[in-house]
């Protein structure tokens, strides 16, 4: 079977994660990398195990007819330009989060992609993590009933000990607490609550620790969502906390609750005074046997083959999440409710 | 609402457990006790909180028209005589396990009860325990699929440190390892496998420790069951082991397995390398917040009110379990397969 | 030393908790109980170990000059009337939460008490629990630095299995999710964040389970608080969830975080990848060796002796909490931000 | 000291495990590999660190006089032919399990080996695992007394996610649940019970999951053993279950019991209500610091040097295990007891 | 069978522990109590379930011929006088620790008892605790070989929260850290090391916390023992620490080590990188199912019946421990080694 | 920035640990190795990633002007000669423990270094471990108050399974239990107690296991220290025990205690009946994410740059520890107290 050829834009940490996952799949391989820096083709090819051409001119790379898919791993403020170029070149797209740094840019991307008729996969790979596969199965099997309240939060201090800190601290490239990282939690919350958001309220604040002083935006926010069916959701995002990484999930339903890897279900008659505990590869545990990127990309490659929309993380689904993200940031900045 | 009046036959440890559970219910109360010993009515009434008459003549007690139900807590070798008398007196029956010490006696009891048309509850109260409510729910929700292999075992050393040891060691009153105690495990296995047994094989052995020398029968047995649908079950029963009490359950199905309070379910996408763990009040944990006797008796009183058959532990269901118990003991003694 | 004599208004579950704690102290004793029902003085005296007079006429009890203190354990909708009467009778007051069911009533109570010049203790006894003593010490020792974000939540399903369910479901007597129970969490949040609230937003929802249908108000709410110093707080309160009782605390500061009984502190150089774990008698653990009521009452009796204001749970401190509670409920009902 | 030169027949997963263990020992090295496929000598030599010649003609390899030992890692249905050839060539043998796929073939192998007078090591390497070293020590130190009942079981789903699934599903190459994998558990049971088997009964069944449909035999069996001294043993083997790998051990003796890595011993006065827990590298834990293969092979090389029989896993000891395995499979197929 | 009648001297906390344990035995009962305070015979008899006479004149009690045994539960500085009187009255003795507050007094007691020929039991009841039964069994089964180094320590802050604090702080009644409480640890160390002490060195210190200021002696000491066979022992005793009660045991032998309830044994081949863990009712755990007092007293009553010396805690064995205790205290005070 | 060039003396296990840590730092690199054996420069350079020259003549290496620092990783009995040479060559020194095998040698080293005016780092790298950073922070934050008693012990069997066993067993090269390894524990004790030692007593013993017979000195010792402020310390060191590696710490202070990774603090109001537990990378846990060597060396390189004394592990601080070590060994040998 023919393997899809994938080009990568940008060569930072996230790019290496993409290349690793793509080359581990049976159905695709990385054959091109665009970077503003000169890279050593031989070294890259031997490191990643596929024959890789490098480009410092993006247009040139996009002219390569053998390329089927291009993955956008550039700085967030370059996403729009890169995505539109790729779409117009007729390639399918893998788009790292955040999609872009404004809702208008997101919509321009969407328009270009719709016009091009190419397929898309937005990297909300948590939807492919073992944690959210199990969480969603618990909900879908009816074990905790219909949800009326849910919280999913992101607590992960992004300080100078991470490479991305350098550009993440800037408003222009990091955007906001949600755009920078918390959107994964908000996206997971939307996956679980599974209903349309009708109203958003958000508040922001920031740490007093000098480490986080360089952040040009408030690096902690908390957002409340009102769903059409009356349910309420809440998403805290803090990238200036100092604690173990915690991807906190708490879902309350009509037959029980789920709290991280624990649950209680009236349907199973479990003892209500204690939590039952699920064997899950938790996102915040660093369990390396979980491979959400690889699962997501293989699913994308299959959906291209079968000419169907990417399940779970297509552009149209991701747009719903980003619409809420931008509404939240607007609410926090302007100090008012946002109705969707 | 009128409360049912219950009489008790025998006043040993199990009788006190019955009285306690009955008087804690809202729907019945103990009003009579028959014992060959003279008992102090005043002391009993104040201890148990209901007005209790005592009898040393069973017939006299059974003539009491205010009595609705009689519970048989006498020695196992008296069960048949007592049960038949009660049935003929037109009272409903609570029957402690073992029903009787031979299959013929069981059938005589059944005949008398069917002729009298009274209702029955046989004390396989484990079916009302939190452990087997959860276990059955896991199966019924399809989380481990269709079962093809199951084990439920009873490991609990009954030595001189227990009062019942005195008569339990005798063939005439204890019967066998299964009749004495292991029938709870075998009954739970039948509950879970939920199919007809077509063949039984059993082997027996005994401990070399001097403590257990007085046992007149082999106090350890292991039984294999073949079910009509091709599934296989196994039940070990050891009352001469020296270890923590262990009510071992292991069920293998087409979508996962359950091991005691742990499970794996393909339906939930849980990590197959580790067990998920259910919050259960385990039978072998001595969790006093679990009340299988009380739940069972309240269900029985309700089924009398509603004039329906006792669910889960009616005589007709219990007969199926005892048929297998006697077949197993016969197989072990005679050294051959028994076909049912 | 003379012991204070305490009268109790109402004789439900909470009254028995008060009496038990008061009589276990060395400095006070319950000598009077007012109830609309006739109660047996002899039985009460022997049960509680102090000589107790009972009254069915409140005015008569308040005329008793030997009474120093009166505790208000009546239905919430009677609190205002009772509190004002007691104050006017010149007795010190113990006031169960909620103080009253409207902010106006709270202020009337405050006025009466200020006029009378009596001392008060409002039952926010969680401030005297081991959990919040430790939590506050962690903050006060600077181990997690200055807080910029905090969550304290109350998850505890109050269904028909609790006596209070009967009247708690009514708007008139239960009030709201916060007034019914969640105010303990909100009060603890104010204790920890230790700054003035300037803005409040709240949303409400309710469970789809039939058990909770009788609630006349939305039994789950989530509230966001903005503090004068820019910090943000969040308090979820759910009395219609089905799960183990969970009094969730998560505080993020400039030197670390505290999550329930866990913490990380840069000041201690602990491993940031794992939580350190504090030995705490948790509120939601049912640890019976913790006695917040008794500690609170002994502190109150001492503050009367020393003629100082009750620390931590005086009326004036509690008023700050209830002002936020009523603002939150108003925000949820009217769908707008409330500025304080 | 001269190192023994070892040749390997077959180059699948198990062969690589043999080579790794042999080359890590101080007393032997792999110098030859026979495979029907052409292999790259240089690559093999550099990968394994010894100079390796490859052969596609087995007779040619066996003519190599420098070869001292040959290890049989071919498909099970080739074992007999290969073993006999090696014996006749005068080489010592390492034999992977199953020895062969019929009792007659096993006996032909034994005859050839006895005639050749060479030494043998059959890969029941679990006897050299830390788990069974500890288990045997507990028994040998008398801590659990004389055993009267024992269970050792093998639960490990072998589905398409394992390479061997391809040929393991076939009756011709996989054989039966016991021959395929469960024989390790049965062998461990014989090691622990340490007595002659006089009677065997076995039952078979299979999973309803489509994954396991391709199995040409019933992939789950349960076998009961009666020992000469009256003790009873039981061995379940399931390679079509879906759960964490579980090598279950439960041994009941006159002074206590052992359950997996837990035990109770009257000899040590430990608390009978709780299990004591042994630090063991469990077979089913994937503890990579345990090296049963290497220990077994080093013991084998030493026994050749000392011209003594291989302890624990010689052919004559392994024959006893396989005699029981074939008896069990016959019992299951023919539906009758087998007397040995 | 006749029950022994026991008299008690003193009626403080330890006396109630003795009475409870004695009356729970089948072989003795408390029939007399001497106290300087007047006590209510009726109340005592009903509380303890045996008919008890009270005395304020000790000589009068000792004249009672029905008394077989007398237990000395008076203040430590009264032990000598009381013990000698009892011995001369021809009664057997139970002697609470410390035996006396000087070595000379101990020897006077011993002389009087030897002259009287009565039997004795000194309350080193830890020798009858489950913890030291298991510890001694581990040693006696050879599982950790011959000991060459051992530590047993006592860490338990005795502050105003304990009744005994009042008199324990005084040099005259408390004596020293070892005499007050630590002698239990030192006695257990001698039990385990099982050899003669030839040299003792000890150092003392005290807490800087104001709570412990009233102690008239240094409430923390550490003692090193040299045994005849060359082994070394160490015993720390701290009654002015602030931490969970910790009865620390660490024994190093030629085949392994034991650390509290954990051990490693080369004899069992356990994994040396991890501790095995014994199910023990630990002294410092407050496990109420352990009854060292009762076991000790029943053993004493049996040894009187059988006219043999009390095992484990006879006076002559206890004298060896106290000789070391006094040598340690002398070493600490005088700043020199003490040779025994 | 210029990187410091480091030379290494000796090429055993500890040398490789130094090279690895030095080359991982940003501020230095290994450029020279002296060894009596010929080493392959190319292989070393490629293995360690820096360009390395090798020498078999030490003087020649020391003549290399590009060398800034030399690390002494030779056998302990060569340390003095090597250290003095390096100092005289004007290079800064890293000195592995033990500094030397006699106090006189230590002082000669100190004199030479003082004369040369070079900087020193003695490898008491445990002071840079996460465990002792946290321990010291707990003390420095006042959480356990002023210490009056402390124990830090080293239990780690050094048998034939370790390479160093070969020379460690000799008196001439191993020295004593403390010199060989236990000095790390004693040094940590001095760090924590933070006061001058005024008196030392020590006892020695040895294992009866044949494995440890070759030791020419007593491989277990226990030492008591008296500090100027009256506090007492104790350090056991056993390299002939058979158990998991245990670096035992127990510190008792006026506000609480610390036991290994557990603590209780009155300052935090934690529950005194249970230990709080700190997230620490324990020395005895083999946590590879802790890098004490690297932290120590980077601190050393920075202190050279800033021309300040090495914090925590300078020669002058280490001399204090070795003075106590030699006093302890003298006390044990001569059987008397040593006053400092």
């Amino acid at each position: 079977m023919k393997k899809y050829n994938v080009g990568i834009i940008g060569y930072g940490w996230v790019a290496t994660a993409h290349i690793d996952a793509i080359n581990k799949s049976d159905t695709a391989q990385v054959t091109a990398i665009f970077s503003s820096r000169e890279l050593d083709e031989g070294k890259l090819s031997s490191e990643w195990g596929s024959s890789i051409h490098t480009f410092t001119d993006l247009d040139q790379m996009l002219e390569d007819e053998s390329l089927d898919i291009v993955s956008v791993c550039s700085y967030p403020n370059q996403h729009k330009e890169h995505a539109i170029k790729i779409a117009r070149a007729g390639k399918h797209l893998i788009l790292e989060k955040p999609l872009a740094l404004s809702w208008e840019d997101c919509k321009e991307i969407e328009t270009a992609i719709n016009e091009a008729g190419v397929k898309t996969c937005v990297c909300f790979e948590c939807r492919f993590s073992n944690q959210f596969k199990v969480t969603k199965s618990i909900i879908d099997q009816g074990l905790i009933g219909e949800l009326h309240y849910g919280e999913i939060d992101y607590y992960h201090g992004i300080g100078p000990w991470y490479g991305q800190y350098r550009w993440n601290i800037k408003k222009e490239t990091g955007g906001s607490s949600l755009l920078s990282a918390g959107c994964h939690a908000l996206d997971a919350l939307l996956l679980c609550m599974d209903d349309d958001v009708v109203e958003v309220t958000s508040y922001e604040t920031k740490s007093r620790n000098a480490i986080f002083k360089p952040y040009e935006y408030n690096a902690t926010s908390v957002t409340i969502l009102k769903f059409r069916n009356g349910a309420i959701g809440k998403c805290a995002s803090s990238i200036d906390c100092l604690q173990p990484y915690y991807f906190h999930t708490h879902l309350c339903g009509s037959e029980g609750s789920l709290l991280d890897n624990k649950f209680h279900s009236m349907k199973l008659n479990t003892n209500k005074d204690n939590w039952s505990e699920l064997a899950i590869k938790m996102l915040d545990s660093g369990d390396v046997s979980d491979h959400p990127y690889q699962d997501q990309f293989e699913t994308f490659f299959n959906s291209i083959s079968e000419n169907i929309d990417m399940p779970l993380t297509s552009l149209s689904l991701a747009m719903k999440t980003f619409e809420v993200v931008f509404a939240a940031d607007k609410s926090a900045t302007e100090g008012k409710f946002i109705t969707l």
Side-chain angles (χ1 to χ4, degrees), chain A residues 201-254:
Chain A
T201 310
S202 189
Y203 281 80
E204 290 177 351
T205 182
K206 68 182 301 180
S207 170
R208 274 73 168 151
N209 191 307
I211 295 173
F212 299 110
K213 196 139 198 194
Y215 270 94
E216 294 175 5
Y217 51 88
N218 286 315
T220 293
S221 69
V222 57
T223 302
I224 299 186
L225 311 178
K226 188 171 179 178
F227 293 91
R228 186 175 311 284
N229 64 12
I232 301 295
K234 167 251 170 184
C235 173
S237 168
S238 177
I239 58 176
D240 59 2
C241 56
L242 291 162
Q243 59 165 77
Y245 173 24
Y246 187 24
F247 204 105
H248 170 255
T249 304
H250 192 162
L251 306 172
C252 297
S254 56

Side-chain angles (χ1 to χ4, degrees), chain A residues 5-7 29-33 50-55 64 66-67:
Chain A
N5 293 324
V6 185
Q29 60 197 341
V30 172
T31 58
I33 298 178
S50 60
S51 176
I52 297 178
H53 293 270
T54 64
F55 298 84
D64 178 353
S66 74
L67 271 191

Side-chain angles (χ1 to χ4, degrees), chain A residues 50 81 84 128 134-135 183 197 204 212 220 271 294 298-299 305 320:
Chain A
S50 60
E81 179 200 337
I84 292 173
F128 286 87
V134 177
T135 299
C183 54
V197 175
E204 290 177 351
F212 299 110
T220 293
N271 179 357
Q294 191 175 336
E298 290 180 351
T299 305
S305 295
K320 295 200 179 202

Side-chain angles (χ1 to χ4, degrees), chain A residues 16 46 65 69 161 186 220 245-246 250 272 275 317 326 331:
Chain A
T16 64
S46 104
E65 302 217 336
I69 301 163
W161 47 84
L186 195 118
T220 293
Y245 173 24
Y246 187 24
H250 192 162
K272 188 157 70 78
W275 292 102
L317 285 166
F326 288 110
S331 167

Side-chain angles (χ1 to χ4, degrees), chain A residues 70-86:
Chain A
V70 178
S71 170
V72 180
C73 297
S74 46
Y75 292 118
N77 54 343
Q78 303 171 313
H79 285 188
K80 183 181 77 172
E81 179 200 337
H82 290 158
I84 292 173
K85 272 197 175 177
I86 298 163

Side-chain angles (χ1 to χ4, degrees), chain A residues 94-260:
Chain A
I94 295 171
L95 290 151
E96 251 308 319
K97 55 123 268 259
L99 193 49
L101 292 170
S102 75
W103 182 229
E104 291 65 34
D105 285 2
C106 291
K107 286 195 290 194
E108 283 189 46
I109 291 173
E110 192 183 32
T111 303
I113 282 167
N114 287 345
E115 285 172 7
V118 292
K119 301 229 172 288
T120 53
C121 167
V122 180
C123 289
F124 278 140
E125 71 278 1
C126 297
R127 292 184 172 225
F128 286 87
S129 66
N130 183 254
Q131 178 170 355
F132 282 98
K133 279 186 202 158
V134 177
T135 299
K136 199 72 174 78
S137 299
I138 289 283
I139 297 168
D140 291 347
Q141 292 284 330
L143 295 181
I144 56 172
E146 285 179 76
L147 304 184
H148 64 290
Y149 183 69
E151 301 192 340
I152 302 188
D153 306 317
Y154 183 88
Y155 294 99
H156 191 208
I158 299 176
W161 47 84
Y162 282 110
Q164 70 185 98
Y165 171 80
R166 187 173 42 85
W167 52 264
N168 198 49
I169 53 177
K170 306 222 176 284
K171 178 88 189 151
E172 190 194 5
T173 36
S176 72
S177 186
L178 281 173
L179 283 166
S180 158
C183 54
H184 278 305
L186 195 118
D187 181 61
L189 181 60
L190 296 182
L191 172 73
C192 295
M193 300 304 289
D194 200 19
D195 197 53
D196 291 334
V197 175
V198 293
E199 192 178 302
V200 181
T201 310
S202 189
Y203 281 80
E204 290 177 351
T205 182
K206 68 182 301 180
S207 170
R208 274 73 168 151
N209 191 307
I211 295 173
F212 299 110
K213 196 139 198 194
Y215 270 94
E216 294 175 5
Y217 51 88
N218 286 315
T220 293
S221 69
V222 57
T223 302
I224 299 186
L225 311 178
K226 188 171 179 178
F227 293 91
R228 186 175 311 284
N229 64 12
I232 301 295
K234 167 251 170 184
C235 173
S237 168
S238 177
I239 58 176
D240 59 2
C241 56
L242 291 162
Q243 59 165 77
Y245 173 24
Y246 187 24
F247 204 105
H248 170 255
T249 304
H250 192 162
L251 306 172
C252 297
S254 56
E255 297 291 339
S257 287
L258 179 140
L259 174 61
D260 302 333

